[in-house]
Amino acid sequence: DTGVSQNPRHKITKRGQNVTFRCDPISEHNRLYWYRQTLGQGPEFLTYFQNEAQLEKSRLLSDRFSAERPKGSFSTLEIQRTEQGDSAMYLCASTESIGQRETQYFGPGTRLLVL
Amino acid sequence: KQEVTQIPAALSVPEGENLVLNCSFTDSAIYNLQWFRQDPGKGLTSLLLIQSSQREQTSGRLNASLDKSSGRSTLYIAASQPGDSATYLCAVRPIGNTPLVFGKGTRLSVIA
């Protein structure tokens, strides 16, 4: 399967714990996006990378959130000191950077539940 | 700030019916508009992408139209089937920006 993959698919944690999610984009896609989706809402942008550079971060990305893409391939999203409000689906998307015709391909998501 | 609205929020139709889902956006300065399908607890599957210069795109029983000047798009589903039951999300890519801006989706149920 050459699509976007995300691990784990599900994560249950207790409030205050740290969690880390991984996204493997489609091979050779140089842009990678993270979105968050809460129940009944559309996905909201968190951050994106062009190769290994983090180019934009949303105001939704508080100090407890950090994302990396160290070698320009896979990416990790870490949430420190989780809160119940962090419970959501975390979606990753990748794309070739081809200007106006860019199409984002989404992974299956990681569903986080903070107890 | 770009805002995307989808109406209705939920829709239930009998199998075989043709239906239309609506999407509106507040700023016409977009590169493109994309329709996605999302099954419960799953990720997003891209259905159709319409560039700002295009008026419509078709794929099988799906047809999406775009009227950029009025900030509207519709997704037409012909001869609906129970397998079409899912949430349908509309998203725009604003000019000068890279992330997509999504609506809240329309939850479709097709009853056999």
Side-chain angles (χ1 to χ4, degrees):
Chain A
D1 188 341
T2 57
V4 178
S5 62
Q6 293 187 244
N7 289 288
R9 296 291 308 277
H10 303 275
K11 178 71 177 179
I12 300 174
T13 191
K14 293 182 179 178
R15 185 165 51 95
Q17 298 294 304
N18 300 342
V19 295
T20 300
F21 310 141
R22 176 175 169 133
C23 170
D24 287 89
I26 293 173
S27 179
E28 297 179 358
H29 275 190
N30 53 18
R31 278 194 179 171
L32 186 149
Y33 296 82
W34 286 99
Y35 292 85
R36 182 174 72 182
Q37 185 179 25
T38 53
L39 202 62
Q41 304 295 313
E44 295 174 292
F45 168 71
L46 291 178
T47 187
Y48 90 93
F49 293 84
Q50 174 90 15
N51 299 312
E52 66 274 11
Q54 188 173 18
L55 295 187
E56 187 174 346
K57 293 192 287 187
S58 157
R59 284 174 293 181
L60 292 176
L61 212 66
S62 76
D63 292 345
R64 297 183 298 105
F65 287 69
S66 62
E68 294 183 341
R69 195 183 183 198
K71 297 182 181 179
S73 56
F74 73 91
S75 176
T76 58
L77 177 68
E78 180 183 17
I79 308 174
Q80 296 182 324
R81 305 181 304 281
T82 53
E83 302 173 354
Q84 288 183 325
D86 297 330
S87 296
M89 173 81 90
Y90 290 84
L91 294 162
C92 174
S94 73
T95 181
E96 295 176 283
S97 175
I98 48 175
Q100 297 183 29
R101 307 192 77 82
E102 173 183 302
T103 300
Q104 296 183 21
Y105 296 88
F106 282 79
T110 294
R111 182 170 293 281
L112 173 66
L113 177 61
V114 182
L115 301 175
Chain B
K1 180 190 170 189
Q2 177 74 263
E3 293 184 359
V4 179
T5 303
Q6 292 188 245
I7 294 173
L11 181 64
S12 183
V13 300
E15 181 178 6
E17 196 162 293
N18 303 326
L19 58 100
V20 174
L21 307 181
N22 296 291
C23 171
S24 62
F25 46 97
T26 55
D27 188 340
S28 61
I30 62 170
Y31 286 128
N32 55 50
L33 182 145
Q34 203 163 353
W35 283 93
F36 293 88
R37 169 183 171 140
Q38 186 174 34
D39 293 291
K42 306 291 186 182
L44 279 62
T45 300
S46 179
L47 297 174
L48 291 164
L49 182 146
I50 312 176
Q51 298 296 340
S52 62
S53 58
Q54 297 175 319
R55 297 285 292 184
E56 66 178 329
Q57 282 286 324
T58 298
S59 175
R61 294 182 293 107
L62 306 180
N63 175 276
S65 68
L66 174 63
D67 183 344
K68 195 179 68 165
S69 61
S70 67
R72 296 181 187 276
S73 175
T74 61
L75 178 66
Y76 175 83
I77 302 177
S80 58
Q81 303 170 357
D84 295 330
S85 298
T87 295
Y88 291 80
L89 292 157
C90 166
V92 298
R93 183 161 170 244
I95 287 177
N97 210 343
T98 46
L100 296 174
V101 179
F102 284 85
K104 294 183 179 182
T106 293
R107 190 171 67 254
L108 173 66
S109 296
V110 181
I111 311 300

